[in-house]
Amino acid sequence: MSMLKDPSSKYSPFTQIAIPDRTWPDQVIDKAPIWLSTDLRDGNQSLIEPMDAEKKMRFFKCLVQVGLKEIEVGFPSASQTDFDFVRELIEGGHIPDDVTIQVLTQARDDLIERTFESLKGAKRAIVHYYNACAPSFRKIVFNQDKAGVKAIAVAAGTTIKRLAAAAPQTRWGFEYSPEVFSSTEIDFAVEVCNAVIGVFEPTPVHKLILNLPATIECATPNNYADQIEWFGRHIDRRDSVLISVHTHNDRGTGVAATELAVMAGADRVEGCLFGNGERTGNVCLVTVALNLYTQGVNPELDFSDIDNVRKVVEDCNQIPVHPRHPYVGDLVHTAFSGSHQDAIRKGFAQRQADAVWEVPYLPIDPADIGRDYEAVIRVNSQSGKGGIAFLLEQEYGINLPRRMQIEFSQVVQKETDRLGLEMSAAQIHQLLEREYLQATTPYALKGHRLQEENGTSAVDVEVINEGETQHWRGIGKGPLEALVAGLPVAVEIMDYSEHAIGAGTNAKAAAYIELRVNGGRALHGVGIDENLTTASFRALFSALNRAIGQAAERAA
Protein backbone atom coordinates (compact mmCIF):
# COMPACT_ATOMS: atom_id res chain seq x y z
CA MET A 1 0.00 0.00 0.00
CA SER A 2 1.37 3.41 -0.96
CA MET A 3 0.61 6.94 0.22
CA LEU A 4 -2.74 8.28 -0.96
CA LYS A 5 -2.97 10.92 -3.66
CA ASP A 6 -5.84 12.42 -1.68
CA PRO A 7 -5.13 11.90 2.05
CA SER A 8 -8.26 13.90 2.93
CA SER A 9 -10.28 10.81 1.99
CA LYS A 10 -8.76 9.06 5.02
CA TYR A 11 -7.55 11.72 7.45
CA SER A 12 -9.40 14.67 8.97
CA PRO A 13 -7.79 18.00 9.78
CA PHE A 14 -7.74 19.07 13.43
CA THR A 15 -10.54 21.24 14.77
CA GLN A 16 -9.67 24.88 15.27
CA ILE A 17 -10.47 26.56 18.59
CA ALA A 18 -12.72 29.62 18.29
CA ILE A 19 -10.70 32.15 20.29
CA PRO A 20 -10.20 35.29 18.15
CA ASP A 21 -9.04 37.37 21.13
CA ARG A 22 -6.29 34.92 22.12
CA THR A 23 -3.57 36.57 24.23
CA TRP A 24 -0.83 33.93 24.33
CA PRO A 25 1.05 35.11 21.18
CA ASP A 26 2.02 38.31 23.01
CA GLN A 27 3.26 36.57 26.15
CA VAL A 28 6.93 36.08 27.07
CA ILE A 29 8.12 33.26 29.34
CA ASP A 30 9.99 35.04 32.12
CA LYS A 31 10.08 32.36 34.82
CA ALA A 32 10.45 28.61 35.06
CA PRO A 33 7.34 26.44 35.25
CA ILE A 34 6.90 23.77 37.90
CA TRP A 35 8.71 20.71 36.54
CA LEU A 36 7.66 17.08 36.85
CA SER A 37 9.90 14.27 35.64
CA THR A 38 8.03 11.21 34.48
CA ASP A 39 11.18 9.30 33.46
CA LEU A 40 10.57 6.60 36.05
CA ARG A 41 6.98 6.00 34.94
CA ASP A 42 6.11 7.13 31.41
CA GLY A 43 9.73 6.83 30.37
CA ASN A 44 10.26 3.47 32.04
CA GLN A 45 7.15 1.88 30.50
CA SER A 46 8.46 2.73 27.04
CA LEU A 47 11.73 0.82 27.39
CA ILE A 48 12.39 -2.52 25.73
CA GLU A 49 13.93 -3.60 29.04
CA PRO A 50 12.32 -1.66 31.90
CA MET A 51 14.70 -0.47 34.59
CA ASP A 52 15.41 -2.72 37.55
CA ALA A 53 15.41 -1.35 41.10
CA GLU A 54 19.11 -0.43 41.00
CA LYS A 55 18.75 1.60 37.80
CA LYS A 56 15.57 3.28 39.01
CA MET A 57 17.31 4.36 42.21
CA ARG A 58 20.31 5.66 40.27
CA PHE A 59 17.98 7.59 37.96
CA PHE A 60 15.95 8.96 40.89
CA LYS A 61 19.09 10.29 42.57
CA CYS A 62 20.20 11.89 39.30
CA LEU A 63 16.83 13.66 39.01
CA VAL A 64 17.17 14.92 42.58
CA GLN A 65 20.69 16.16 41.88
CA VAL A 66 19.51 18.01 38.79
CA GLY A 67 16.96 19.82 40.98
CA LEU A 68 13.62 18.17 40.20
CA LYS A 69 11.21 18.76 43.09
CA GLU A 70 8.35 16.64 41.75
CA ILE A 71 9.11 13.17 40.39
CA GLU A 72 6.62 10.60 39.17
CA VAL A 73 8.18 7.38 40.43
CA GLY A 74 5.91 4.65 39.15
CA PHE A 75 2.59 2.93 38.67
CA PRO A 76 2.54 0.86 41.88
CA SER A 77 -0.87 -0.70 41.34
CA ALA A 78 0.17 -2.10 37.95
CA SER A 79 3.60 -3.49 38.80
CA GLN A 80 5.10 -5.21 41.81
CA THR A 81 8.48 -3.78 40.81
CA ASP A 82 7.05 -0.26 40.95
CA PHE A 83 5.25 -0.98 44.23
CA ASP A 84 8.47 -2.26 45.82
CA PHE A 85 10.44 0.71 44.48
CA VAL A 86 8.02 3.20 46.04
CA ARG A 87 8.30 1.33 49.34
CA GLU A 88 12.10 1.40 49.15
CA LEU A 89 12.11 5.14 48.49
CA ILE A 90 9.94 5.74 51.56
CA GLU A 91 11.31 3.14 53.98
CA GLY A 92 14.91 3.71 52.91
CA GLY A 93 14.72 7.46 53.48
CA HIS A 94 15.81 8.30 49.94
CA ILE A 95 13.36 11.17 49.39
CA PRO A 96 14.67 14.63 50.38
CA ASP A 97 12.27 16.73 52.42
CA ASP A 98 11.80 19.23 49.58
CA VAL A 99 10.99 16.55 46.97
CA THR A 100 7.48 15.23 46.36
CA ILE A 101 6.99 11.84 44.76
CA GLN A 102 4.04 11.23 42.47
CA VAL A 103 2.40 7.95 41.49
CA LEU A 104 -0.05 7.11 38.75
CA THR A 105 -3.21 5.04 38.93
CA GLN A 106 -6.19 4.28 36.76
CA ALA A 107 -9.61 5.41 37.94
CA ARG A 108 -10.52 2.08 39.60
CA ASP A 109 -11.12 1.60 43.31
CA ASP A 110 -9.03 -1.56 43.67
CA LEU A 111 -6.06 0.05 41.94
CA ILE A 112 -6.45 3.26 43.93
CA GLU A 113 -6.43 1.31 47.21
CA ARG A 114 -3.27 -0.53 46.16
CA THR A 115 -1.72 2.82 45.26
CA PHE A 116 -2.37 4.22 48.73
CA GLU A 117 -0.85 1.08 50.26
CA SER A 118 2.38 1.82 48.40
CA LEU A 119 2.48 5.36 49.82
CA LYS A 120 2.12 4.55 53.53
CA GLY A 121 4.53 6.64 55.54
CA ALA A 122 5.36 9.12 52.76
CA LYS A 123 5.85 12.68 53.94
CA ARG A 124 4.63 14.22 50.69
CA ALA A 125 2.93 12.52 47.76
CA ILE A 126 0.79 13.34 44.73
CA VAL A 127 -1.78 10.79 43.60
CA HIS A 128 -2.29 11.15 39.85
CA TYR A 129 -5.31 9.45 38.29
CA TYR A 130 -6.75 9.53 34.81
CA ASN A 131 -9.39 8.28 32.44
CA ALA A 132 -9.68 8.78 28.69
CA CYS A 133 -12.21 11.34 27.51
CA ALA A 134 -11.72 11.59 23.74
CA PRO A 135 -14.54 10.48 21.40
CA SER A 136 -12.53 7.70 19.76
CA PHE A 137 -11.67 6.21 23.17
CA ARG A 138 -15.24 6.56 24.46
CA LYS A 139 -16.57 4.78 21.39
CA ILE A 140 -13.86 2.25 20.49
CA VAL A 141 -12.02 1.41 23.71
CA PHE A 142 -14.47 1.84 26.60
CA ASN A 143 -17.95 1.95 25.04
CA GLN A 144 -18.92 4.85 27.32
CA ASP A 145 -20.95 7.99 26.74
CA LYS A 146 -19.97 11.40 28.15
CA ALA A 147 -21.98 10.91 31.34
CA GLY A 148 -20.26 7.59 31.98
CA VAL A 149 -16.80 9.06 31.51
CA LYS A 150 -17.56 11.93 33.89
CA ALA A 151 -19.01 9.53 36.46
CA ILE A 152 -15.80 7.48 36.44
CA ALA A 153 -13.71 10.58 37.12
CA VAL A 154 -15.96 11.71 39.96
CA ALA A 155 -16.18 8.28 41.61
CA ALA A 156 -12.42 7.73 41.51
CA GLY A 157 -11.82 11.22 42.89
CA THR A 158 -14.20 10.52 45.74
CA THR A 159 -12.31 7.34 46.65
CA ILE A 160 -8.96 9.11 46.51
CA LYS A 161 -10.19 11.94 48.72
CA ARG A 162 -11.57 9.45 51.28
CA LEU A 163 -8.35 7.40 51.45
CA ALA A 164 -6.22 10.52 51.77
CA ALA A 165 -8.35 11.79 54.63
CA ALA A 166 -7.67 8.50 56.44
CA ALA A 167 -3.90 9.11 56.24
CA PRO A 168 -3.42 12.71 57.46
CA GLN A 169 0.25 12.13 58.32
CA THR A 170 1.04 12.53 54.59
CA ARG A 171 0.86 15.90 52.88
CA TRP A 172 -1.29 14.92 49.90
CA GLY A 173 -1.53 16.45 46.47
CA PHE A 174 -3.94 15.37 43.76
CA GLU A 175 -3.71 15.36 39.99
CA TYR A 176 -6.35 14.48 37.44
CA SER A 177 -5.78 13.93 33.71
CA PRO A 178 -8.56 13.88 31.15
CA GLU A 179 -6.45 11.53 29.06
CA VAL A 180 -6.21 12.33 25.34
CA PHE A 181 -7.16 15.93 26.14
CA SER A 182 -5.66 17.00 22.82
CA SER A 183 -8.39 15.07 20.95
CA THR A 184 -11.26 15.72 23.38
CA GLU A 185 -14.02 18.26 22.78
CA ILE A 186 -12.70 21.27 24.72
CA ASP A 187 -16.02 22.06 26.39
CA PHE A 188 -16.38 18.46 27.55
CA ALA A 189 -12.82 18.45 28.96
CA VAL A 190 -13.77 21.52 31.02
CA GLU A 191 -17.02 19.87 32.11
CA VAL A 192 -15.24 16.75 33.40
CA CYS A 193 -12.52 18.75 35.15
CA ASN A 194 -15.09 21.02 36.80
CA ALA A 195 -16.81 17.91 38.15
CA VAL A 196 -13.46 16.74 39.58
CA ILE A 197 -12.92 20.18 41.12
CA GLY A 198 -16.29 19.76 42.82
CA VAL A 199 -14.97 16.59 44.47
CA PHE A 200 -11.65 17.88 45.75
CA GLU A 201 -12.73 21.49 46.50
CA PRO A 202 -9.24 22.96 46.03
CA THR A 203 -8.20 26.32 47.42
CA PRO A 204 -5.49 28.82 46.43
CA VAL A 205 -3.34 27.28 49.19
CA HIS A 206 -4.05 23.63 48.38
CA LYS A 207 -4.37 23.53 44.61
CA LEU A 208 -5.56 20.68 42.43
CA ILE A 209 -3.37 19.76 39.47
CA LEU A 210 -5.26 19.40 36.20
CA ASN A 211 -3.02 17.79 33.62
CA LEU A 212 -4.01 18.43 30.00
CA PRO A 213 -1.97 15.92 28.01
CA ALA A 214 -1.33 15.97 24.31
CA THR A 215 -1.47 12.20 24.62
CA ILE A 216 -1.50 12.11 20.83
CA GLU A 217 0.01 15.19 19.25
CA CYS A 218 -2.56 15.75 16.54
CA ALA A 219 -2.39 19.47 15.75
CA THR A 220 0.05 22.32 15.30
CA PRO A 221 1.49 23.80 18.53
CA ASN A 222 -0.55 26.98 18.22
CA ASN A 223 -3.76 24.93 18.34
CA TYR A 224 -2.62 23.28 21.59
CA ALA A 225 -1.88 26.72 23.01
CA ASP A 226 -5.42 27.80 22.03
CA GLN A 227 -6.79 24.77 23.87
CA ILE A 228 -4.84 25.68 27.01
CA GLU A 229 -5.90 29.32 26.95
CA TRP A 230 -9.58 28.43 26.32
CA PHE A 231 -9.48 25.87 29.13
CA GLY A 232 -7.94 28.39 31.52
CA ARG A 233 -10.64 30.92 30.77
CA HIS A 234 -13.53 28.50 31.37
CA ILE A 235 -12.39 26.25 34.22
CA ASP A 236 -13.86 26.86 37.67
CA ARG A 237 -11.66 28.19 40.50
CA ARG A 238 -8.74 29.04 38.21
CA ASP A 239 -6.82 30.42 41.20
CA SER A 240 -7.12 27.06 42.93
CA VAL A 241 -5.84 24.80 40.15
CA LEU A 242 -2.48 24.26 38.49
CA ILE A 243 -2.68 23.61 34.77
CA SER A 244 -0.09 21.00 33.86
CA VAL A 245 0.90 20.04 30.32
CA HIS A 246 2.25 16.71 29.15
CA THR A 247 3.13 16.82 25.46
CA HIS A 248 4.16 13.96 23.23
CA ASN A 249 6.09 14.27 20.02
CA ASP A 250 3.99 12.53 17.38
CA ARG A 251 4.31 15.52 15.02
CA GLY A 252 7.84 16.38 16.14
CA THR A 253 6.78 19.61 17.85
CA GLY A 254 6.54 18.60 21.50
CA VAL A 255 8.94 21.31 22.67
CA ALA A 256 7.16 24.02 20.69
CA ALA A 257 3.76 22.87 21.97
CA THR A 258 5.03 22.98 25.56
CA GLU A 259 6.52 26.45 25.22
CA LEU A 260 3.39 27.87 23.61
CA ALA A 261 1.25 26.17 26.27
CA VAL A 262 3.27 27.90 29.00
CA MET A 263 2.75 31.19 27.17
CA ALA A 264 -0.97 30.33 27.16
CA GLY A 265 -1.08 29.95 30.95
CA ALA A 266 0.19 26.48 31.84
CA ASP A 267 1.81 26.40 35.27
CA ARG A 268 3.54 23.04 35.16
CA VAL A 269 5.45 20.94 32.61
CA GLU A 270 5.71 17.14 32.61
CA GLY A 271 8.31 15.30 30.55
CA CYS A 272 11.43 13.16 30.42
CA LEU A 273 15.13 13.90 30.19
CA PHE A 274 16.18 13.86 26.54
CA GLY A 275 12.65 13.10 25.38
CA ASN A 276 12.20 9.41 26.17
CA GLY A 277 8.64 8.10 26.33
CA GLU A 278 6.21 5.92 24.45
CA ARG A 279 5.92 6.12 20.69
CA THR A 280 7.74 9.27 19.61
CA GLY A 281 8.60 10.36 23.13
CA ASN A 282 7.62 12.87 25.79
CA VAL A 283 8.81 16.43 25.65
CA CYS A 284 12.51 16.80 26.51
CA LEU A 285 12.77 18.64 29.83
CA VAL A 286 16.44 19.40 29.18
CA THR A 287 15.64 21.19 25.92
CA VAL A 288 12.80 23.24 27.40
CA ALA A 289 14.89 24.17 30.44
CA LEU A 290 17.98 25.17 28.47
CA ASN A 291 15.86 27.08 25.97
CA LEU A 292 14.80 29.21 28.94
CA TYR A 293 18.41 29.51 30.08
CA THR A 294 19.57 30.84 26.70
CA GLN A 295 16.90 33.55 27.00
CA GLY A 296 18.27 34.70 30.34
CA VAL A 297 15.66 32.89 32.47
CA ASN A 298 16.80 30.68 35.35
CA PRO A 299 15.22 27.26 34.66
CA GLU A 300 15.80 26.20 38.29
CA LEU A 301 17.30 22.95 37.01
CA ASP A 302 21.05 22.37 37.02
CA PHE A 303 22.65 20.83 33.93
CA SER A 304 26.17 22.04 34.69
CA ASP A 305 27.43 18.48 34.11
CA ILE A 306 25.19 17.52 31.23
CA ASP A 307 27.49 14.73 30.04
CA ASN A 308 27.16 12.91 33.35
CA VAL A 309 23.36 13.30 33.25
CA ARG A 310 23.37 11.87 29.76
CA LYS A 311 25.55 8.96 30.89
CA VAL A 312 23.07 8.06 33.65
CA VAL A 313 20.10 8.30 31.28
CA GLU A 314 21.78 6.24 28.57
CA ASP A 315 22.90 3.57 31.03
CA CYS A 316 19.47 3.30 32.66
CA ASN A 317 17.36 3.53 29.49
CA GLN A 318 19.73 1.57 27.27
CA ILE A 319 18.92 4.09 24.54
CA PRO A 320 21.66 6.34 23.12
CA VAL A 321 21.07 10.07 22.93
CA HIS A 322 21.17 11.18 19.31
CA PRO A 323 24.39 13.02 18.36
CA ARG A 324 22.25 15.90 17.02
CA HIS A 325 20.01 16.15 20.11
CA PRO A 326 19.81 19.80 21.24
CA TYR A 327 22.45 20.86 23.78
CA VAL A 328 23.68 17.37 24.74
CA GLY A 329 24.40 15.53 21.47
CA ASP A 330 28.03 14.78 20.68
CA LEU A 331 27.92 16.95 17.56
CA VAL A 332 25.74 19.92 18.51
CA HIS A 333 28.62 22.15 19.65
CA THR A 334 30.81 21.05 16.76
CA ALA A 335 31.63 22.73 13.46
CA PHE A 336 32.94 20.74 10.53
CA SER A 337 32.46 23.43 7.91
CA GLY A 338 35.45 25.72 7.37
CA SER A 339 33.25 28.83 7.26
CA HIS A 340 31.52 27.83 10.51
CA GLN A 341 34.88 27.15 12.15
CA ASP A 342 36.14 30.56 11.06
CA ALA A 343 33.07 32.37 12.43
CA ILE A 344 33.30 30.53 15.76
CA ARG A 345 37.01 31.24 16.11
CA LYS A 346 36.38 34.94 15.48
CA GLY A 347 33.52 34.93 17.99
CA PHE A 348 35.77 33.52 20.71
CA ALA A 349 38.62 35.85 19.78
CA GLN A 350 36.44 38.95 20.13
CA ARG A 351 34.50 37.85 23.17
CA GLN A 352 34.85 39.86 26.38
CA ALA A 353 34.70 37.80 29.59
CA ASP A 354 31.66 39.52 31.14
CA ALA A 355 29.81 40.40 27.94
CA VAL A 356 26.48 38.99 26.82
CA TRP A 357 27.05 35.70 25.00
CA GLU A 358 27.35 36.30 21.28
CA VAL A 359 29.31 33.65 19.42
CA PRO A 360 28.15 32.65 15.92
CA TYR A 361 26.52 29.22 15.62
CA LEU A 362 26.57 28.64 19.40
CA PRO A 363 23.32 29.59 21.19
CA ILE A 364 24.81 28.53 24.55
CA ASP A 365 28.28 28.70 26.05
CA PRO A 366 29.35 25.03 26.11
CA ALA A 367 31.24 25.64 29.36
CA ASP A 368 27.96 26.40 31.16
CA ILE A 369 26.86 22.80 30.72
CA GLY A 370 30.23 21.19 31.34
CA ARG A 371 31.45 21.02 27.76
CA ASP A 372 35.02 21.93 26.83
CA TYR A 373 35.81 24.65 24.33
CA GLU A 374 38.06 22.09 22.67
CA ALA A 375 34.91 20.28 21.57
CA VAL A 376 33.66 23.21 19.51
CA ILE A 377 35.91 23.07 16.46
CA ARG A 378 36.75 19.81 14.73
CA VAL A 379 38.10 18.66 11.40
CA ASN A 380 36.74 16.01 9.09
CA SER A 381 37.36 14.80 5.55
CA GLN A 382 35.92 18.07 4.22
CA SER A 383 37.96 20.36 6.48
CA GLY A 384 41.07 22.35 5.65
CA LYS A 385 43.24 20.47 8.15
CA GLY A 386 42.39 17.04 6.71
CA GLY A 387 40.09 14.32 7.97
CA ILE A 388 41.79 12.97 11.08
CA ALA A 389 39.24 10.30 11.93
CA PHE A 390 38.73 9.49 8.25
CA LEU A 391 42.46 8.97 7.61
CA LEU A 392 43.01 6.87 10.73
CA GLU A 393 40.12 4.60 9.83
CA GLN A 394 41.05 4.29 6.15
CA GLU A 395 44.82 3.83 6.61
CA TYR A 396 45.07 2.05 9.96
CA GLY A 397 41.66 0.58 10.75
CA ILE A 398 41.38 2.75 13.88
CA ASN A 399 37.83 3.95 14.49
CA LEU A 400 37.91 6.60 17.19
CA PRO A 401 34.73 7.16 19.26
CA ARG A 402 33.04 10.49 18.58
CA ARG A 403 34.10 12.24 21.76
CA MET A 404 37.66 11.02 21.34
CA GLN A 405 37.64 12.44 17.81
CA ILE A 406 36.85 15.79 19.40
CA GLU A 407 39.67 15.43 21.92
CA PHE A 408 42.31 14.13 19.50
CA SER A 409 41.53 16.73 16.85
CA GLN A 410 42.78 19.36 19.31
CA VAL A 411 46.02 17.45 19.80
CA VAL A 412 46.50 17.45 16.02
CA GLN A 413 45.50 21.12 15.83
CA LYS A 414 48.25 22.08 18.27
CA GLU A 415 50.79 20.04 16.32
CA THR A 416 49.87 21.53 12.95
CA ASP A 417 50.02 25.02 14.47
CA ARG A 418 53.48 24.24 15.89
CA LEU A 419 54.78 22.81 12.62
CA GLY A 420 52.96 25.21 10.35
CA LEU A 421 52.33 22.26 8.02
CA GLU A 422 49.62 19.87 7.03
CA MET A 423 49.93 16.41 8.57
CA SER A 424 49.90 13.13 6.66
CA ALA A 425 48.06 10.01 7.80
CA ALA A 426 51.38 8.54 9.01
CA GLN A 427 52.15 11.66 11.05
CA ILE A 428 48.67 11.65 12.59
CA HIS A 429 49.11 7.97 13.52
CA GLN A 430 52.52 8.69 15.07
CA LEU A 431 50.94 11.50 17.10
CA LEU A 432 48.20 9.11 18.29
CA GLU A 433 50.86 6.64 19.44
CA ARG A 434 52.89 9.31 21.23
CA GLU A 435 49.89 10.95 22.93
CA TYR A 436 47.96 7.80 23.92
CA LEU A 437 49.72 4.48 23.35
CA GLN A 438 53.00 5.66 24.87
CA ALA A 439 51.38 7.31 27.90
CA THR A 440 53.12 4.99 30.39
CA THR A 441 54.05 7.30 33.26
CA PRO A 442 53.69 7.39 36.18
CA TYR A 443 52.16 3.88 35.91
CA ALA A 444 53.34 1.34 33.35
CA LEU A 445 51.38 -1.89 33.00
CA LYS A 446 53.82 -4.78 33.03
CA GLY A 447 51.39 -7.70 33.21
CA HIS A 448 48.22 -9.02 34.77
CA ARG A 449 46.54 -12.18 36.01
CA LEU A 450 42.79 -12.58 35.75
CA GLN A 451 40.54 -15.12 37.46
CA GLU A 452 36.83 -15.32 36.68
CA GLU A 453 34.29 -17.38 38.58
CA ASN A 454 30.50 -17.19 38.89
CA GLY A 455 30.33 -13.79 37.21
CA THR A 456 33.02 -12.28 39.45
CA SER A 457 36.45 -11.20 38.21
CA ALA A 458 39.59 -10.95 40.35
CA VAL A 459 42.59 -9.23 38.85
CA ASP A 460 46.21 -8.85 39.96
CA VAL A 461 48.13 -6.29 37.88
CA GLU A 462 51.88 -5.77 37.96
CA VAL A 463 52.76 -2.10 37.62
CA ILE A 464 56.07 -0.21 37.31
CA ASN A 465 55.98 3.06 39.22
CA GLU A 466 59.18 5.14 39.39
CA GLY A 467 61.26 2.05 38.77
CA GLU A 468 59.58 -0.03 41.44
CA THR A 469 57.25 -2.99 40.87
CA GLN A 470 53.85 -2.80 42.55
CA HIS A 471 50.92 -5.23 42.64
CA TRP A 472 47.38 -3.92 42.59
CA ARG A 473 44.49 -6.25 43.28
CA GLY A 474 40.77 -5.74 42.75
CA ILE A 475 37.49 -7.64 42.48
CA GLY A 476 34.46 -6.71 40.38
CA LYS A 477 31.70 -7.92 38.10
CA GLY A 478 34.04 -7.82 35.12
CA PRO A 479 37.75 -7.29 34.39
CA LEU A 480 37.53 -3.51 34.08
CA GLU A 481 35.44 -3.12 37.22
CA ALA A 482 37.94 -5.29 39.08
CA LEU A 483 40.86 -3.21 37.79
CA VAL A 484 39.15 0.04 38.81
CA ALA A 485 38.58 -1.41 42.30
CA GLY A 486 42.31 -2.02 42.64
CA LEU A 487 43.54 1.42 41.54
CA PRO A 488 45.18 3.72 44.09
CA VAL A 489 43.14 6.69 42.82
CA ALA A 490 39.41 7.22 42.32
CA VAL A 491 38.37 6.92 38.70
CA GLU A 492 35.00 6.91 36.93
CA ILE A 493 34.65 5.30 33.53
CA MET A 494 32.47 7.58 31.39
CA ASP A 495 32.55 5.57 28.18
CA TYR A 496 34.10 2.41 26.75
CA SER A 497 34.21 0.98 23.23
CA GLU A 498 36.21 -1.60 21.33
CA HIS A 499 36.65 -3.04 17.86
CA ALA A 500 38.87 -5.38 15.91
CA ILE A 501 41.72 -4.19 13.70
CA GLY A 502 42.14 -6.56 10.78
CA ALA A 503 40.83 -10.10 10.58
CA GLY A 504 41.93 -13.67 11.07
CA THR A 505 45.00 -14.72 13.06
CA ASN A 506 46.62 -11.29 12.63
CA ALA A 507 43.69 -9.39 14.09
CA LYS A 508 44.21 -7.08 17.06
CA ALA A 509 41.79 -5.46 19.46
CA ALA A 510 41.54 -1.72 19.93
CA ALA A 511 39.95 -0.43 23.14
CA TYR A 512 39.00 3.14 24.03
CA ILE A 513 38.16 4.44 27.49
CA GLU A 514 36.95 7.84 28.64
CA LEU A 515 37.43 8.36 32.35
CA ARG A 516 37.64 10.92 35.10
CA VAL A 517 40.33 10.82 37.76
CA ASN A 518 39.38 12.23 41.18
CA GLY A 519 36.36 13.96 39.64
CA GLY A 520 38.48 15.93 37.18
CA ARG A 521 38.14 16.49 33.47
CA ALA A 522 37.22 13.46 31.38
CA LEU A 523 40.06 12.22 29.16
CA HIS A 524 40.49 9.30 26.78
CA GLY A 525 42.93 6.44 26.63
CA VAL A 526 43.72 3.92 23.90
CA GLY A 527 44.99 0.36 24.13
CA ILE A 528 45.85 -2.02 21.29
CA ASP A 529 46.79 -5.66 21.81
CA GLU A 530 46.12 -9.16 20.48
CA ASN A 531 44.16 -9.82 23.69
CA LEU A 532 41.00 -7.77 24.25
CA THR A 533 41.28 -7.68 28.05
CA THR A 534 44.89 -6.52 27.80
CA ALA A 535 43.87 -3.87 25.28
CA SER A 536 41.16 -2.58 27.64
CA PHE A 537 43.65 -2.49 30.55
CA ARG A 538 46.17 -0.61 28.41
CA ALA A 539 43.45 1.87 27.44
CA LEU A 540 42.63 2.50 31.10
CA PHE A 541 46.29 3.04 32.01
CA SER A 542 46.67 5.34 29.01
CA ALA A 543 43.77 7.54 30.17
CA LEU A 544 44.91 7.38 33.81
CA ASN A 545 48.44 8.50 32.99
CA ARG A 546 47.27 11.26 30.67
CA ALA A 547 44.88 12.59 33.33
CA ILE A 548 47.57 12.56 36.02
CA GLY A 549 50.07 14.19 33.68
CA GLN A 550 47.74 16.97 32.61
CA ALA A 551 46.68 17.62 36.21
CA ALA A 552 50.36 17.99 37.15
CA GLU A 553 50.94 20.42 34.26
CA ARG A 554 48.02 22.57 35.36
CA ALA A 555 49.21 22.56 38.96
CA ALA A 556 52.69 23.67 37.85
Side-chain angles (χ1 to χ4, degrees), residues 39 43-44 47-49 51 55 59 273 276 312-319:
D39 290 273
N44 186 52
L47 302 178
I48 297 173
E49 294 184 15
M51 287 178 270
K55 286 181 178 178
F59 209 134
L273 301 187
N276 185 41
V312 171
V313 174
E314 289 182 329
D315 288 350
C316 293
N317 286 346
Q318 295 297 295
I319 298 176

Side-chain angles (χ1 to χ4, degrees), residues 203-495:
T203 68
V205 176
H206 299 290
K207 297 185 179 185
L208 172 67
I209 302 168
L210 295 175
N211 179 42
L212 308 179
T215 310
I216 305 163
E217 189 182 36
C218 54
T220 52
N222 62 296
N223 196 73
Y224 186 60
D226 282 346
Q227 289 177 311
I228 300 303
E229 180 165 341
W230 198 97
F231 184 95
R233 291 185 183 188
H234 292 84
I235 195 69
D236 292 345
R237 304 193 197 186
R238 178 63 183 93
D239 64 346
S240 299
V241 300
L242 294 173
I243 294 179
S244 189
V245 291
H246 180 123
T247 61
H248 285 186
N249 209 36
D250 300 86
R251 294 170 57 95
T253 55
V255 169
T258 295
E259 292 180 328
L260 298 190
V262 172
M263 292 166 60
D267 306 294
R268 186 173 183 257
V269 168
E270 305 184 4
C272 294
L273 301 187
F274 310 125
N276 185 41
E278 281 211 300
R279 305 189 319 279
T280 54
N282 291 19
V283 70
C284 173
L285 294 184
V286 178
T287 302
V288 178
L290 291 180
N291 283 355
L292 288 176
Y293 183 82
T294 61
Q295 298 302 300
V297 177
N298 182 1
E300 299 179 11
L301 297 177
D302 186 359
F303 295 110
S304 298
D305 191 358
I306 201 167
D307 283 334
N308 188 59
V309 175
R310 179 181 67 176
K311 180 176 184 291
V312 171
V313 174
E314 289 182 329
D315 288 350
C316 293
N317 286 346
Q318 295 297 295
I319 298 176
V321 174
H322 195 281
R324 298 294 183 189
H325 193 99
Y327 301 109
V328 72
D330 280 339
L331 302 180
V332 297
H333 304 297
T334 298
F336 291 101
S337 161
S339 61
H340 286 205
Q341 292 176 351
D342 182 62
I344 292 170
R345 284 195 189 98
K346 289 176 180 176
F348 276 115
Q350 297 178 22
R351 171 165 166 71
Q352 301 296 317
D354 297 327
V356 171
W357 180 255
E358 190 179 18
V359 174
Y361 299 112
L362 294 176
I364 193 171
D365 184 347
D368 287 357
I369 51 176
R371 290 291 182 85
D372 292 328
Y373 290 120
E374 289 87 341
V376 172
I377 297 175
R378 288 173 54 183
V379 296
N380 67 1
S381 57
Q382 304 299 314
S383 303
K385 296 291 185 182
I388 297 169
F390 176 80
L391 290 175
L392 285 174
E393 183 174 3
Q394 293 295 311
E395 299 294 329
Y396 297 96
I398 294 175
N399 188 4
L400 301 180
R402 279 199 179 94
R403 287 200 289 276
M404 188 177 171
Q405 291 176 27
I406 297 170
E407 181 182 289
F408 184 52
S409 70
Q410 299 309 307
V411 177
V412 176
Q413 184 82 51
K414 290 178 183 177
E415 187 70 359
T416 55
D417 290 344
R418 185 182 71 83
L419 297 174
L421 300 170
E422 296 290 328
M423 294 185 70
S424 67
Q427 289 173 313
I428 292 172
H429 185 254
Q430 290 172 4
L431 188 58
L432 181 79
E433 285 195 335
R434 188 176 74 207
E435 178 71 19
Y436 295 90
L437 299 174
Q438 297 173 13
T440 57
T441 56
Y443 302 118
L445 175 64
K446 186 176 180 180
H448 74 270
R449 288 188 301 166
L450 177 65
Q451 291 181 318
E452 294 183 292
E453 185 176 352
N454 298 327
T456 299
S457 299
V459 66
D460 183 334
V461 293
E462 189 175 4
V463 179
I464 305 298
N465 178 22
E466 296 183 350
E468 294 183 1
T469 301
Q470 299 177 353
H471 286 271
W472 301 346
R473 297 175 178 84
I475 297 175
K477 294 179 181 177
L480 272 179
E481 185 176 309
L483 177 57
V484 168
L487 296 178
V489 294
V491 306
E492 179 184 10
I493 295 177
M494 305 296 292
D495 194 27

Side-chain angles (χ1 to χ4, degrees), residues 9 52 68 89 116 130 143 198 200 278 414 420 422 482 494 501:
S9 65
D52 58 21
L68 270 300
L89 285 175
F116 272 86
Y130 68 97
N143 191 27
F200 287 100
E278 281 211 300
K414 290 178 183 177
E422 296 290 328
M494 305 296 292
I501 300 177

